[in-house]
Amino acid sequence: AVEFLENSKILLNDGKGTPILTSNFNGVYEISVSPAEGPKINSPTHPDWEIWYQDANPSFFWEKEVGMTDFSFNFSQNPQEIPDAISEGTEDFASYAQVSDGIWYFHLRAKKGGFWGKASHFPVKIDTIPPEKFELGIDLRSGFIYFETKDFYSEISHYEISILNISENPNASPFFLEATSPFKIPERTPGKYILILRAYDKAGNLQTAQAQFQILSSLISFIEGKGIQLKGVFLPWRLAYFALLILIGLMTYLIFYFSLRKRGFQKGIKEIEEAITEIKKIEE
């Protein structure tokens, strides 16, 4: 309400201050103020917007202030999107199912006093895919294991490793320790071992790589599916098979060669014996 008192004056700026207010008028005005900000949003499934989650079914709820009559909201990967001025209803809860991986944003506006207010935004990070598959690089001579993989969305969080001697206990349960590459293998006695490495992303998804190796002595060891290591020299199985074929071929050649030599030697002895017999006959 705006009121002019009886003693209110309006004076001209004419150097004399001539009064010009001849009558008083009062007025009543209704002022509607839209919400300064959008409603405060929370998520029971994805409460911390800085953390990646495996859950692909996010849900949201928001504060419903006095005077709020309608809500408009949507869910997208555009961080600056503004919901339209079409009411989605009066409920203060919304949920989504089977959302694809990535960073998503829940956008919300409230209607109060007949006006749509500003939008509030709540981001969620979803990652349901494990890190990429990878292989282990094992160097038994130096005693180091090398590994690395990548994750498309949330990135790699950490690695865990377990080394079991299955020669001593085939049914042993793995015990994991956090590891970084390169990882130094503790001193191992001769035997057959299984190595398990887990890679975790920041959402908790994991990828596993596994390898087996056998230590025969300090000079000879095998890496299953990889090759053989002889006194610090690593030979892939393909190269080892090739070398073995060459060795077999060489041994076959030597056996054949000495067999021919033996036959020739025996033939020579027989000829000498026959010659001696002939000489004896001639002497007689």
Side-chain angles (χ1 to χ4, degrees), residues 137-158:
I138 305 175
D139 186 352
L140 296 177
R141 178 184 63 83
S142 63
F144 281 100
I145 302 171
Y146 302 88
F147 47 87
E148 184 181 12
T149 187
K150 297 179 180 179
D151 187 77
F152 186 78
Y153 287 104
S154 62
E155 300 180 349
I156 298 298
S157 171
H158 65 281

Side-chain angles (χ1 to χ4, degrees), residues 9-194:
K9 296 180 180 180
I10 298 179
L11 307 177
L12 284 177
N13 184 21
D14 58 357
K16 299 178 182 180
T18 306
I20 61 170
L21 183 61
T22 58
S23 59
N24 294 340
F25 296 93
N26 298 325
V28 177
Y29 302 88
E30 181 179 342
I31 301 175
S32 297
V33 181
S34 61
E37 300 294 339
K40 185 177 180 180
I41 306 171
N42 292 288
S43 174
T45 56
H46 300 68
D48 192 337
W49 64 270
E50 293 184 332
I51 296 178
W52 287 86
Y53 295 88
Q54 297 180 22
D55 190 351
N57 305 298
S59 59
F60 307 91
F61 66 92
W62 53 89
E63 294 181 357
K64 186 176 182 180
E65 297 180 3
V66 176
M68 290 183 177
T69 58
D70 296 274
F71 298 100
S72 177
F73 53 83
N74 60 8
F75 192 56
S76 72
Q77 291 187 292
N78 180 3
Q80 299 179 342
E81 188 167 342
I82 305 297
D84 56 30
I86 301 175
S87 176
E88 306 287 345
T90 60
E91 296 293 331
D92 57 355
F93 181 83
S95 62
Y96 300 87
Q98 300 301 316
V99 177
S100 59
D101 288 10
I103 302 177
W104 291 79
Y105 300 87
F106 181 72
H107 313 282
L108 175 68
R109 294 174 72 189
K111 189 176 184 180
K112 183 177 181 181
F115 292 90
W116 287 100
K118 294 183 179 180
S120 53
H121 313 275
F122 192 95
V124 295
K125 297 179 178 180
I126 299 174
D127 183 4
T128 62
I129 301 174
E132 296 178 3
K133 292 183 178 181
F134 63 102
E135 294 185 354
L136 301 173
I138 305 175
D139 186 352
L140 296 177
R141 178 184 63 83
S142 63
F144 281 100
I145 302 171
Y146 302 88
F147 47 87
E148 184 181 12
T149 187
K150 297 179 180 179
D151 187 77
F152 186 78
Y153 287 104
S154 62
E155 300 180 349
I156 298 298
S157 171
H158 65 281
Y159 297 90
E160 292 180 352
I161 194 168
S162 176
I163 303 176
L164 300 173
N165 187 341
I166 56 178
S167 297
E168 296 179 353
N169 188 357
N171 300 318
S173 299
F175 177 77
F176 289 90
L177 297 172
E178 190 165 335
T180 57
S181 181
F183 178 82
K184 178 66 175 177
I185 304 175
E187 289 294 329
R188 297 287 169 179
T189 58
K192 191 172 183 180
Y193 294 86
I194 182 170

Side-chain angles (χ1 to χ4, degrees), residues 226-252:
K226 299 287 185 179
I228 182 173
Q229 192 156 302
L230 303 172
K231 200 177 179 179
V233 178
F234 178 75
L235 295 176
W237 283 123
R238 183 178 297 178
L239 184 59
Y241 291 146
F242 181 70
L244 183 61
L245 288 175
I246 293 178
L247 182 60
I248 293 173
L250 179 61
M251 291 180 64
T252 303

